[in-house]
Amino acid sequence: MQEFPKTVDFIFLNTPIGEEYSLKGLEVEGEIPADMRGAFFRAVPDPAFPPLYEDDTAISGDGMISRLWFKKDGTVDFDIKYVQTPRHKAEVKAGKALFGRYRNPYTDDPSVKGVDRTVSNTTPIWHAGKLLMAKEDGRAHRIDPITLETIGSYDFGGKLKSETMTAHARVDPETGELFFFGYEADGLASTKVAYCIADKNGELISEQWFDAPYCGLMHDFVITENYAIFPVFPTTADLARLKDGGVHWVHEPDLESWIGVMPRYGDVKEMHWIKGPKGVSVFHFMNCFEDEDGRIHLDQHLTETNAFEFIRRPSGIDVPQSEIKGGLVRWSFDPKGDEITETPLGPPGDLCRIRDADQGRPYNQGWYLSMNPEMKSPPLLGGPVGAAFNALISINPQTGAIEMLPLPPGHAISEPAHIVSSEEGHPGWLLFIIDRQTGENDFEHEAWIVNAGDIEKGPVAKVKIPHRLRPQVHGWWAPQDQLDKAAAA
Ligand code: V55
Ligand code: FE
C-alpha cells in the first residue's frame, strides 16, 4: 500500500484520519450557556488515499462534514462524515487516488476523465434551511443537516449556470439574501465570474456574468448595503500550464491587484475597476461598509505575497511561512474613484469572524486568529498553511483597540463561530476547536466557549472531543430553531 508523503501537509496535526465516527454525550468542563443550542458545522479536508503527487497540498483532501451539536437537553454530540462527491466515490471504488494535482484535471487517471473533481472541503454554508459544502473549484454539495448524508451536487434547482460556487458567501442581515459568486465559471483558467443572489427562501433570483481583469484566485468577496465588491489578487491560472500538467496557481509579484465595485442590485455592466498594489494577496475579508460620505471601507487580512507555500514554491518565491509580512488592513475608496488608501488595523492573522448582524454595515467588533507574540516556541505544524495559529484576537476596527487570548505553547486554534445570546445586550459567544500537543504525534482536542465581549477571561466551558481531529478550514453556526424549522419543512 502506498503511504502519505512525509511533508507538513500530511504529518503531525495534518496526519490524515479518514474515519467517519459519532461521539455522543461529550464530557463538558464548566457550563454551556443555556442559550447556545444548535449545530456548529465544520469543513474538514481529509484525503482518503495517498495522493498521486508527492507535493500535494492539505487543501486538496476529500471534504468531510463535521458537526458539534449542542442539543436541547444540554448534551453535546460530535459527528463527522465524508461528503460523497463523485470524486470520493470513484476513489473508494478503486481503492486508491485517481485524481491528480490541485485543480488540474489533466493530471488525473484517464478512467475519471469528465468526473466532477471538486472535494467540497472549504465551507459549510447554512442558508434557507439548506446545508451546502462548498469549494471554489466546483459546485457545492448539499448535505442533510441531521444525518450528514450527501444529497448531491447543488445547482439551485437547475437554475445555476456557473460551474463553480465560491466557499465564501455573504448573507445580508436585513433581507436574508445569500450573495455569492463563482469564478472560472465556465471552465479552467477562464476570466468569467458569475455574480449570484439567492433570496431568503433560497431561490436563485439573479445570476450575471462578467470578466475579471485576469483569471486570479478570487477566494472571497464582500457586500455593503449598496454595493457588491470583487477584489482580484495576482495569483493567476493559465490553461497552457494546466494542459502541460503544471500547477493551477502561480503568484505574480509584478502584477496589479484590482477591486471591482458595482451596485449590489445593479447590472454587471456598471462594474467599476480600481487598480490596487502589485503582488499582494488576500484570502479573507473581515467586513466592508459605507460611511456617511459614501466612501467604502474594506477590512482584510493582507499579506505581501501569497500565504500558501504550495503556491509560492512553483512561483519561485522563497519566503519561509514565519517571515511573511502582513496585517489586518483597511482599504478605503470611493465607489467610482481610482485610488485606494491603506490604513493598518491589527497584527497579521486570518480566519476572521464578525456578528452576522454587522455584515456589510459599520461595526465595532471583529475576531480573528493570530500568533501569540510572547510565544518562545515555534507554532504547531499543521492546518491549511502548515503553521497553526495560537491566539484569538478581538479588535475594534474603529479604534484599533485589541484584546488577545493567547494559548500556551503546543496549542493551535481554529476559526471561531459567533453565537448570538438571547440575553439583551449580551455580546454573545465564540465557539472554536483547540488542539493540544501531548506527545510528538499525539494531540488532544477540545471545543472552547468564550464570552465574545471578554475573550481574555478564557473559556467558560470546554467540551472534550476524545478522538483525533484533522484541522478544519471554515465553520458555520446553525441555531437549533432553524434546524427544527428545516426538519419540519
Ligand atoms: C483556500 C482554501 C481552499 C482552497 C483555496 O483558505 C483557498 C484558502 C480549503 O481549500 O481550495
Ligand atoms: Fe476561506
Side-chain angles (χ1 to χ4, degrees):
M1 221 197 87
Q2 245 193 297
E3 285 190 17
F4 283 96
K6 299 278 180 284
T7 62
V8 68
D9 293 274
F10 302 100
I11 59 171
F12 300 125
L13 261 184
N14 282 346
T15 305
I17 295 166
E19 191 187 334
E20 302 185 327
Y21 55 95
S22 294
L23 308 165
K24 305 281 178 214
L26 299 177
E27 182 189 337
V28 178
E29 196 183 301
E31 205 156 325
I32 294 169
D35 52 5
M36 215 183 104
R37 296 292 182 265
F40 181 31
F41 292 109
R42 301 163 55 247
V44 180
D46 195 347
F49 301 101
L52 291 182
Y53 291 83
E54 281 278 310
D55 59 356
D56 199 32
T57 159
I59 66 167
S60 223
D62 295 295
M64 295 191 85
I65 173 74
S66 167
R67 178 186 59 209
L68 201 55
W69 196 352
F70 295 78
K71 307 192 88 161
K72 279 183 249 190
D73 64 3
T75 62
V76 189
D77 292 352
F78 179 94
D79 294 273
I80 185 162
K81 272 189 188 158
Y82 276 111
V83 182
Q84 293 295 332
T85 59
R87 170 176 174 148
H88 180 65
K89 287 198 256 190
E91 294 194 336
V92 166
K93 198 161 166 217
K96 60 177 183 178
L98 298 170
F99 294 80
R101 288 188 188 285
Y102 179 80
R103 297 182 69 174
N104 188 346
Y106 298 100
T107 62
D108 294 347
D109 187 282
S111 67
V112 291
K113 192 171 163 47
V115 176
D116 182 354
R117 71 194 303 287
T118 189
V119 282
S120 289
N121 71 3
T122 312
T123 309
I125 296 173
W126 172 254
H127 180 252
K130 291 192 176 75
L131 178 63
L132 304 176
M133 275 285 275
K135 185 182 187 76
E136 63 202 49
D137 68 347
R139 288 187 181 149
H141 278 78
R142 189 175 165 200
I143 308 289
D144 182 312
I146 308 301
T147 64
L148 302 187
E149 297 292 335
T150 301
I151 298 166
S153 178
Y154 193 65
D155 62 3
F156 291 81
K159 285 198 184 149
L160 186 69
K161 302 278 182 303
S162 177
E163 293 171 19
T164 62
M165 175 178 180
T166 175
H168 288 281
R170 305 263 171 188
V171 179
D172 186 275
E174 276 166 56
T175 68
E177 292 161 314
L178 182 78
F179 294 80
F180 65 96
F181 68 100
Y183 71 95
E184 300 191 26
D186 63 348
L188 286 175
S190 156
T191 55
K192 293 281 182 255
V193 182
Y195 166 41
C196 305
I197 308 173
D199 71 11
K200 65 177 192 309
N201 303 313
E203 289 290 322
L204 190 68
I205 53 169
S206 169
E207 174 172 2
Q208 300 186 68
W209 288 38
F210 65 90
D211 281 289
Y214 49 78
C215 177
L217 195 169
M218 295 172 70
H219 185 66
D220 190 2
F221 90 129
V222 272
I223 54 159
T224 67
E225 283 182 76
N226 294 297
Y227 296 95
I229 293 151
F230 300 88
V232 184
F233 295 96
T235 299
T236 63
D238 175 71
L239 190 58
R241 183 171 67 232
L242 291 170
K243 287 185 172 169
D244 242 18
V247 292
H248 195 102
W249 297 122
V250 162
H251 191 72
E252 299 194 55
D254 296 326
L255 192 60
E256 276 99 6
S257 52
W258 290 90
I259 292 189
V261 187
M262 65 171 276
R264 76 178 201 184
Y265 298 116
D267 190 297
V268 289
K269 287 196 200 82
E270 298 170 75
M271 188 78 73
H272 173 68
W273 290 99
I274 306 172
K275 199 185 277 188
K278 290 179 181 175
V280 295
S281 177
V282 174
F283 281 91
H284 300 116
F285 308 103
M286 182 175 266
N287 202 1
C288 191
F289 61 93
E290 300 155 53
D291 65 21
E292 309 88 63
D293 302 324
R295 206 165 152 77
I296 296 173
H297 304 280
L298 168 63
D299 297 348
Q300 53 184 346
H301 296 293
L302 188 94
T303 46
E304 60 176 359
T305 182
N306 197 292
F308 281 99
E309 210 266 336
F310 90 92
I311 294 175
R312 291 196 303 278
R313 197 188 323 128
S315 311
I317 299 167
D318 187 18
V319 192
Q321 201 64 35
S322 57
E323 278 166 39
I324 296 200
K325 293 189 179 54
L328 180 69
V329 305
R330 172 168 293 180
W331 280 7
S332 303
F333 46 89
D334 291 314
K336 294 252 153 119
D338 54 16
E339 247 173 78
I340 297 170
T341 313
E342 182 169 312
T343 317
L345 295 180
D350 202 4
L351 300 173
C352 42
R353 187 58 75 192
I354 54 170
R355 288 185 174 80
D356 291 343
D358 286 338
Q359 185 72 253
R361 309 319 197 249
Y363 67 123
N364 58 26
Q365 195 172 21
W367 304 271
Y368 67 100
L369 304 184
S370 186
M371 291 297 183
N372 177 356
E374 309 283 306
M375 188 85 95
K376 303 287 184 287
S377 52
L380 285 185
L381 295 177
V385 300
F389 290 114
N390 53 29
L392 174 68
I393 283 180
S394 170
I395 186 164
N396 179 334
Q398 309 307 340
T399 63
I402 276 179
E403 284 171 44
M404 192 181 282
L405 175 63
L407 298 183
H411 280 70
I413 179 169
S414 297
E415 181 186 79
H418 177 262
I419 295 141
V420 173
S421 169
S422 56
E423 200 180 307
E424 181 78 25
H426 190 287
W429 310 100
L430 296 179
L431 168 64
F432 48 87
I433 302 287
I434 65 113
D435 313 300
R436 179 185 305 119
Q437 188 170 32
T438 54
E440 207 210 341
N441 202 15
D442 299 312
F443 299 91
E444 290 175 353
H445 311 276
E446 291 167 353
W448 285 14
I449 300 161
V450 307
N451 184 320
D454 190 4
I455 66 165
E456 290 184 347
K457 222 177 187 165
V460 300
K462 297 176 179 177
V463 182
K464 316 260 174 190
I465 303 167
H467 197 291
R468 278 284 286 113
L469 303 184
R470 203 169 193 253
Q472 81 183 54
V473 186
H474 298 292
W476 198 293
W477 175 260
Q480 188 59 44
D481 58 336
Q482 290 183 24
L483 290 167
D484 288 343
K485 224 171 113 196

